Amino acid sequence: MPPLRRGAGGRDRGRHGRALRARGAVRGEDRARRPLAHLARPPARLRAHHRRGGAGRVTTIPYRFEQTASAAEVVERWSGLVAGEESGDEVSVAGRVMLSRPQGKLAFSQLRDSSGAVQLFAADGVTRDFDAFRKLHLGDWIGASGEVVRTRRGELSVKVSDWVLLAEARHGFGDKWRGVTDVETRFRQREVDLWANPGSRDALLLRSRLVRRTRERLWDLGFVEVETPILHPIPGGAHARPFVTHFRALDMDVYLRIAPELYLKRLVIGGLEKVFEIGRLFRNEGLSPRHNPEFTSLELYQAYADYRDIMALVEELVSGLALDVLGTTSITYQGRPLDLAPPWRRATMAELVSEATGHDVSVHTPRETLEKWARDADVELEPAWGPGKLMLELYEKTAEGDLWDPIFVYDYPKDVSPLARAHREDPLLAERFEAVVAGRELANAFSELIDPDEQLARFEAQAAALEAGDEEAMRVDTDYVRALEHGLPPTGGLGIGIDRLAMLFADASHIREVISFPMMRPEPPERPEPPAA
RNA sequence: GCGCCUCUAGCUCAACGGCAGAGCAACGGACUCUUAAUCCGCAGGUUGUGGGUUCGAAUCCCACGAGGCGCACCA
């Protein structure tokens, strides 16, 4: 049956475009009338093949399909066939048609499933409804059964005897050779991106393996995986602006968590000595190649451990994950080699800043001197900054970006580390470190603050800062202080950005490459809403 | 938020002040071993939106929108 002509009956895609204008209708009116105008109409081409008339039974698309082999299994298991040989073995495969080469009374197409791709070979007289088969669109899903053969030209194929349409693709999947590069399309319609660009799928699969192996490794180390609240009455555990929402039953505002830290430490107080959580955090801050408003973190806490124990754990975990997921610790990130093998370099922040500036910098350096050096380094000073903040700014301005190979930067100023325990040897420092890889913070860890009195004092200082306008400052969490009053043993804590780690392993320059559906600005409507008639 | 850059057919891209084009996809046809098949044919556009300059604008200017990169903030 010949396909219906464009415009016939007004049922095809031409309806909201050319066909209408050809009849003199106004395109804009039509589009405004139907806000879903970008959706495709059911195409006519396969109607004869899979649609039946009559109420209640409009399609022959089956409800299930029995695969007996994946594409990769077919290619692997029958790799020994020689050109022109027929195996005598029947298989059923399913997937999406990615290439189609009808040639007279033969047709070749490539079927891709999650395992890989295999060629389908169809022939008039062999393949049921051959005429419809050769009209399949790129992107259509089908299930196909037939004998595994190798064609005369040497391509392993399933010689299709029977097949069935599983879903039709009403839209294209981009240029068959170059895929889709338009960022709007790639991330607003990620399903298109995932089919059109194999690298996109690879990045998400790599992330999945990474998360899975992270869990397994931590389980093996005796950590207990837990889930703590995402709705927090008081946002805490980090410096960040929270998202606010409202809980109707209790008529109270609640916050999407900016960190699970306080709850996890309360679990340690409760006797879960080694806990971890992998989960989503929400920070009401900007979008950037390295920031998504919701992102995934790993946080873990280990009783009886200090920050040096955690350093050892981090380098072991990250290098081990590289081996698990990539098979090597020698990786390339954005064209530059990088080795994750332990031991990682360790340097105090004061050492790094001194190295970078040429001055002998420490948190004990007089404030005026620090201010001068900071100005020399083009740091934009703020009057409220103390020596610790000045040193941190100086570090971030002069030293951090130049770090490439993995390094533990430790002994942070205490006044910029409100949840870390004071240094055992220097009261102006905190026992805190960050792991920096490829010039970026990958992990943040400390010997946890365990003293309830000091915790309360620091909360109060934060609350004062909040009052003074610092929207990222913390609030006083009396529940948490009361928990500390029950006794938190010496504990080492760690946070790792899973997205950042996935970026590193996937060699991704943008965080959205490793997020299935990254945050996007809402798509603007094609036209303003028409005025009410 | 600031600076620079980008936006052309469903997709990937040309045309850079003088008739808006190609490849792929789609549509019609030929073809019994293709590999991004090939060949013939047919369609497809308010050149992101609005305004300006000009005899003439996809092209130059302005504004707006969306996006990218960098800076700032942050993990």
Side-chain angles (χ1 to χ4, degrees), chain A residues 213-229:
Chain A
R213 285 299 297 148
T214 301
R215 285 204 161 90
E216 289 171 347
R217 281 183 166 271
L218 291 174
W219 294 340
D220 290 347
L221 289 170
F223 283 87
V224 174
E225 181 170 11
V226 297
E227 291 168 282
T228 62

Side-chain angles (χ1 to χ4, degrees), chain A residues 70-88:
Chain A
S70 71
E73 283 167 0
V74 172
V75 171
E76 164 67 24
R77 214 187 305 162
W78 283 275
S79 59
L81 281 186
V82 299
E85 190 180 2
E86 307 203 329
S87 68

Side-chain angles (χ1 to χ4, degrees), chain A residues 260-276:
Chain A
E261 168 149 355
L262 303 185
Y263 286 101
L264 290 171
K265 284 192 280 196
R266 288 170 70 177
L267 292 176
V268 177
I269 294 168
L272 303 177
E273 294 175 352
K274 296 168 85 174
V275 295
F276 78 95

Side-chain angles (χ1 to χ4, degrees), chain A residues 268 271-274 301-307 309-310 488-492:
Chain A
V268 177
L272 303 177
E273 294 175 352
K274 296 168 85 174
Y301 293 85
Q302 179 173 358
Y304 321 127
D306 68 6
Y307 71 148
D309 295 314
I310 302 298
L488 175 64
T491 295

Side-chain angles (χ1 to χ4, degrees), chain A residues 351-417:
Chain A
E351 286 166 2
L352 290 172
V353 177
S354 299
E355 200 176 282
T357 61
H359 303 298
D360 188 17
V361 178
S362 86
V363 76
H364 296 283
T365 305
R367 183 200 169 106
E368 297 71 32
T369 313
L370 278 175
E371 283 185 351
K372 178 183 181 307
W373 290 340
R375 269 194 297 273
D376 291 346
D378 288 332
V379 175
E380 288 180 26
L381 299 177
E382 288 181 25
W385 289 357
K389 179 69 172 171
L390 283 166
M391 188 167 92
L392 178 66
E393 290 291 325
L394 207 45
Y395 158 74
E396 287 176 351
K397 190 78 176 184
T398 62
E400 187 178 33
D402 294 330
L403 303 173
W404 184 259
D405 283 311
I407 180 172
F408 292 116
V409 181
Y410 66 101
D411 288 354
Y412 275 57
K414 190 172 80 173
D415 54 330
V416 297
S417 309

Side-chain angles (χ1 to χ4, degrees), chain A residues 318 322 326 328-341 344 403-407 436-440 442 500-501 503-505 507:
Chain A
V318 173
L326 303 171
T328 175
T329 59
S330 295
I331 65 172
T332 299
Y333 185 69
Q334 302 295 294
R336 231 176 120 181
L338 188 67
D339 197 344
L340 296 168
W344 295 359
L403 303 173
W404 184 259
D405 283 311
I407 180 172
V436 177
V437 181
R440 291 181 196 152
L442 185 72
R500 296 276 175 87
L501 189 59
M503 285 173 69
L504 186 68
F505 283 11
D507 192 17

Side-chain angles (χ1 to χ4, degrees), chain A residues 13-279:
Chain A
R13 267 178 274 191
R15 175 185 168 97
H16 49 275
R18 300 172 293 278
L20 260 185
R21 264 189 303 132
R23 295 202 302 269
V26 179
R27 182 193 194 187
E29 278 179 12
D30 183 59
R31 209 192 284 178
R33 200 176 302 129
R34 295 195 306 106
L36 300 181
H38 63 285
L39 299 181
R41 292 287 177 160
R45 73 195 150 87
L46 290 168
R47 203 171 291 150
H49 179 69
H50 75 96
R51 288 176 190 277
R52 295 175 191 154
R57 290 189 30 203
V58 295
T59 168
T60 60
I61 290 181
Y63 286 79
R64 68 186 303 277
F65 183 81
E66 186 79 28
Q67 267 179 295
T68 61
S70 71
E73 283 167 0
V74 172
V75 171
E76 164 67 24
R77 214 187 305 162
W78 283 275
S79 59
L81 281 186
V82 299
E85 190 180 2
E86 307 203 329
S87 68
D89 302 321
E90 294 271 329
V91 295
S92 293
V93 291
R96 216 189 260 280
V97 175
M98 298 307 287
L99 292 170
S100 180
R101 291 184 287 270
Q103 177 170 333
K105 293 186 164 36
L106 297 181
F108 302 87
S109 59
Q110 186 189 68
L111 187 77
R112 198 157 91 197
D113 64 18
S114 61
S115 73
V118 67
Q119 177 168 273
L120 301 181
F121 171 62
D124 196 12
V126 172
T127 302
R128 189 181 67 83
D129 203 354
F130 176 78
D131 196 48
F133 185 92
R134 62 193 294 280
K135 285 181 183 159
L136 283 169
H137 272 185
L138 306 191
D140 286 338
W141 295 82
I142 65 169
S145 305
E147 184 182 3
V148 179
V149 303
R150 194 178 286 282
T151 60
R152 280 180 230 159
R153 293 288 172 87
E155 185 76 20
L156 193 71
S157 308
V158 175
K159 186 173 167 186
V160 178
S161 50
D162 198 7
W163 66 282
V164 61
L165 186 75
L166 300 177
E168 61 189 350
R170 294 182 188 177
H171 300 280
F173 277 80
D175 189 282
K176 73 182 178 188
W177 183 237
R178 295 197 246 191
V180 174
T181 60
D182 179 61
V183 172
E184 288 282 291
T185 310
R186 284 193 57 209
F187 295 103
R188 285 193 197 282
Q189 299 181 56
R190 202 76 203 279
E191 58 284 348
V192 174
D193 179 44
L194 293 172
W195 275 105
N197 303 318
S200 296
R201 203 182 339 180
D202 292 343
L204 293 189
L205 293 175
L206 183 149
R207 179 192 175 118
S208 176
R209 291 199 304 276
L210 171 68
V211 171
R212 172 183 170 159
R213 285 299 297 148
T214 301
R215 285 204 161 90
E216 289 171 347
R217 281 183 166 271
L218 291 174
W219 294 340
D220 290 347
L221 289 170
F223 283 87
V224 174
E225 181 170 11
V226 297
E227 291 168 282
T228 62
I230 287 175
L231 297 176
H232 287 191
I234 296 175
H239 286 99
R241 287 193 199 192
F243 285 91
V244 192
T245 184
H246 190 79
F247 181 29
R248 274 171 32 153
L250 297 183
D251 188 24
M252 63 183 284
D253 282 343
V254 292
Y255 302 86
L256 301 186
R257 68 178 174 193
I258 55 174
E261 168 149 355
L262 303 185
Y263 286 101
L264 290 171
K265 284 192 280 196
R266 288 170 70 177
L267 292 176
V268 177
I269 294 168
L272 303 177
E273 294 175 352
K274 296 168 85 174
V275 295
F276 78 95
E277 177 166 11
I278 292 175

